[in-house]
Amino acid sequence: MKTLTDQLSQYADYHRDPRNILTHFVGVPLILWAVVILLSRPAWELAALGGLPCSPALAAALLACCYYMLLDLRYGLAMAVVLAAMLALAAPLARESTAVWLGWGLGIFVVGWVIQFVGHWWEGRKPAFMDDIVGLLIGPLFVMAELGFGLGLRREVQKAVEARSGPVHQRQAPAR
């Protein structure tokens, strides 16, 4: 299994322009939340779990959190909090009519991807998942790591990623 540094560095190779990273702070959470919304149907309330709505979204979130925790306990716990909040916000939408549920889920999904593709246009590079599908799972973790780096946390991880992928720098427009 790849390490945290391996995964973040591989993803960072596609994300060195600060404008692209900034778009990921908006686009990736929107896409993740949209997927949670769309996977929140069907849902069953299990009395054994205190009436917690159990859905494909919950199963996917639990699996993702397990993987994140295998990579790094602190990031895994942070991602668990984010995913729990997204599950809580998605559950009421999933109980709405099919049109409302799909409208929110698909609408947010499309907006998130438009923002992502603008960032990758600035980057001058395709999204990481086009070369490695695991990039779809690492994207939210990358955003969490970048947030931490911006707050001065996990400097050792930041240095390890930058040693492999280089520093963040704005890409210059090609000469005409």
Side-chain angles (χ1 to χ4, degrees), residues 91-173:
L93 290 170
R95 288 191 294 267
E96 294 289 338
S97 69
T98 299
V100 170
W101 164 68
L102 278 176
W104 276 95
L106 293 176
I108 293 169
F109 189 80
V110 168
V111 169
W113 277 111
V114 167
I115 293 168
Q116 291 299 97
F117 284 115
V118 168
H120 280 282
W121 178 79
W122 279 325
E123 184 81 37
R125 190 144 190 215
K126 63 187 171 184
F129 79 88
M130 291 183 156
D131 288 332
D132 183 1
I133 197 74
V134 177
L136 292 171
L137 186 61
I138 299 303
L141 185 63
F142 176 81
V143 170
M144 182 64 70
E146 286 292 328
L147 176 63
F149 300 161
L151 295 172
L153 304 172
R154 306 299 302 268
R155 291 286 185 211
E156 75 285 358
V157 175
Q158 183 180 14
K159 286 179 182 178
V161 169
E162 287 181 354
R164 290 190 189 184
S165 300
V168 172
H169 63 280
Q170 189 162 322
R171 179 177 161 268
Q172 299 300 315

Side-chain angles (χ1 to χ4, degrees), residues 4-23:
L4 174 69
T5 302
D6 293 335
Q7 291 289 19
L8 290 178
S9 297
Q10 183 174 342
Y11 196 84
D13 289 342
Y14 295 79
H15 305 88
R16 302 321 299 147
D17 189 299
R19 298 167 299 181
N20 187 21
I21 294 171
L22 185 61
T23 64

Side-chain angles (χ1 to χ4, degrees), residues 57-79:
L58 178 62
L62 289 172
L63 288 172
C65 287
C66 287
Y67 179 66
Y68 294 144
M69 286 186 198
L70 285 173
L71 287 175
D72 185 90
L73 183 60
R74 288 179 276 180
Y75 283 132
L77 291 172
M79 289 304 302

